[in-house]
Amino acid sequence: MSVTTLMNAASTDDRPRVSVVIPLYNKEGQIQRALASVLGQSFQDFEIVVIDDGSKDRGAELVAAQTDPRIRLYRQPNGGVSVARNRGVELARADVVAFLDGDDAWYPDHLERIWQLRAAYPGTVAWAMNYHVVDLDGGLTPGVQCVTEPRVVLTPENFFRIARHGTPVFSSAVAVDRDALRRVGGFPAGVRLGEDLDTWIRLLFSGPIAFDARPGAFYHADGDDRALLRNPPPARYVFFDTDEAWMRAHPEATQVAQDIEAFHDFFRLAHAHHQIKWGDKAAGRAVLKSCRTRAFAAERDRLLRMSLLPQPLYRALGRLQATLRRRGAATGAAPSAQASRG
């Protein structure tokens, strides 16, 4: 009997081995792609729990029209993606919960490799695959490029050093132990951006996370009503507090503290960039001048120079640089996943 056949064998208690939770909000144009990528998995012992978070389009109707009995649709008033994910976890029947956003998709063997990763690393609390960032022209950029080993066990000692080049735990490419997620409090309600990263970091602080460097998911840039477009980068993310509390509890971990600060610096620069581009240039420059980063010193200095330009010219140069990055990705000189999202 093959490994895949064993994985697809029915559970003894008639529960699925994996619950796939999909939060849905105004993704009419992409939700069928997401569902098709789950239904086409080589690993078939799953259920799909879709939480429609008060969508204003026809996305929920498209889900309701699906005939596969493993798909369960629940509707709720709009409460935010964290509330939707938390409800999905509570409704999940499996001990392992995989997440997929309504505008993303999976490679056909994503769940199979997640299950193999879980078996290979007992004692881990989550299992993450690498992912491809898909730009508007269909170009693919690996989300994490700095990991050379096929598999890595993520701990505070290496996570933040890796994550400043592209987060290795991405919401559409990770599965978690449901009880471990509950123990750390689930997803923070009311947080508009960075809520998922805060959750993965709290999980990381509770136990190791296994990471497979081969892409298993697609992060699509074509989603309708994206949170990154609705909400500008804040000056301070909720996970800053989570990280700093851990540092206070572990004063001996000086290298991890340095890695965390470098990780935070990326987000400080993203906030400054948005301010200079669209908001208060003086406030953006103040953030840049206060940022003593070594990891992103060249980027900080470049933004400081560009901030002297009028905003229309700053935006025009930004569009030109984005075009050059896309051309570079097409020729193999790919930018980091985080830079491609900015």
Side-chain angles (χ1 to χ4, degrees):
M1 185 178 292
S2 69
V3 172
T4 300
T5 302
L6 284 170
M7 289 189 297
N8 289 336
S11 304
T12 55
D13 60 0
D14 202 33
R15 291 187 302 156
R17 293 181 188 269
V18 178
S19 294
V20 180
V21 170
I22 301 179
L24 177 63
Y25 181 73
N26 293 349
K27 296 294 185 290
E28 177 182 345
Q30 297 82 36
I31 184 59
Q32 289 179 305
R33 177 180 66 196
L35 290 173
S37 77
V38 181
L39 295 174
Q41 290 292 299
S42 56
F43 179 105
Q44 285 284 305
D45 192 1
F46 59 77
E47 66 173 355
I48 303 174
V49 182
V50 180
I51 306 298
D52 177 53
D53 190 41
S55 293
K56 300 174 183 177
D57 62 6
R58 294 181 58 254
E61 283 71 22
L62 294 175
V63 176
Q66 297 285 325
T67 58
D68 194 304
R70 293 173 295 180
I71 300 175
R72 298 155 54 199
L73 171 66
Y74 299 88
R75 302 173 192 251
Q76 65 181 30
N78 181 255
V81 66
S82 289
V83 173
R85 288 190 183 121
N86 286 338
R87 189 181 183 204
V89 171
E90 289 307 309
L91 293 168
R93 297 191 296 134
D95 294 328
V96 174
V97 179
F99 295 95
L100 177 64
D101 286 350
D103 50 1
D104 293 329
W106 286 342
Y107 279 96
D109 60 351
H110 175 71
L111 284 181
E112 180 175 346
R113 288 195 280 137
I114 284 281
W115 197 260
Q116 292 170 347
L117 193 62
R118 177 177 179 267
Y121 294 94
T124 47
V125 296
W127 312 279
M129 300 295 299
N130 204 346
Y131 50 96
H132 270 131
V133 180
V134 186
D135 65 29
L136 294 176
D137 299 322
L140 300 179
T141 303
V144 179
Q145 302 182 58
C146 62
V147 175
T148 57
E149 300 90 344
R151 290 173 171 175
V152 173
V153 175
L154 300 172
T155 66
E157 284 69 32
N158 61 6
F159 174 86
F160 296 99
R161 195 175 315 125
I162 295 169
R164 71 190 191 195
H165 302 290
T167 177
V169 185
F170 165 53
S171 293
S172 289
V174 65
V176 304
D177 178 283
R178 184 179 58 176
D179 289 339
L181 182 61
R182 285 171 169 167
R183 285 194 295 272
V184 301
F187 295 88
V191 178
R192 293 172 180 264
L193 282 178
E195 80 295 327
D196 49 352
L197 195 46
D198 182 65
T199 303
W200 312 139
I201 290 172
R202 282 185 282 112
L203 261 178
L204 178 81
F205 289 153
S206 76
I209 296 173
F211 173 74
D212 189 320
R214 297 171 298 169
F218 297 98
Y219 172 92
H220 283 279
D222 65 351
D224 301 330
D225 200 28
R226 299 187 69 82
L228 279 173
L229 299 179
R230 284 184 277 112
N231 305 298
R236 185 175 179 83
Y237 285 82
V238 64
F239 56 82
F240 284 22
D241 295 330
T242 298
D243 296 340
E244 290 169 4
W246 187 91
M247 287 190 287
R248 289 193 296 272
H250 299 82
E252 76 288 351
T254 55
Q255 183 57 58
V256 177
Q258 292 175 20
D259 292 338
I260 288 174
E261 280 303 311
F263 174 67
H264 290 183
D265 283 340
F266 171 84
F267 296 93
R268 295 184 180 109
L269 265 61
H271 170 73
H273 165 67
H274 190 275
Q275 287 281 17
I276 294 166
K277 184 176 181 180
W278 300 108
D280 185 340
K281 287 179 60 177
R285 284 180 58 81
V287 171
L288 292 174
K289 289 179 178 179
S290 67
C291 187
R292 303 304 178 191
T293 180
R294 287 182 292 176
F296 299 104
E299 177 68 8
R300 177 201 58 203
D301 294 344
R302 184 185 70 84
L303 289 176
L304 274 171
R305 291 192 298 271
M306 288 183 62
S307 71
L308 299 173
L309 301 172
Q311 282 181 318
L313 183 54
Y314 182 95
R315 291 194 286 267
L317 286 175
R319 289 193 295 270
L320 175 61
Q321 290 171 345
T323 299
L324 293 175
R325 283 200 300 267
R326 285 196 295 271
R327 290 177 180 173
T331 60
S336 73
Q338 287 182 328
S340 69
R341 300 179 193 192

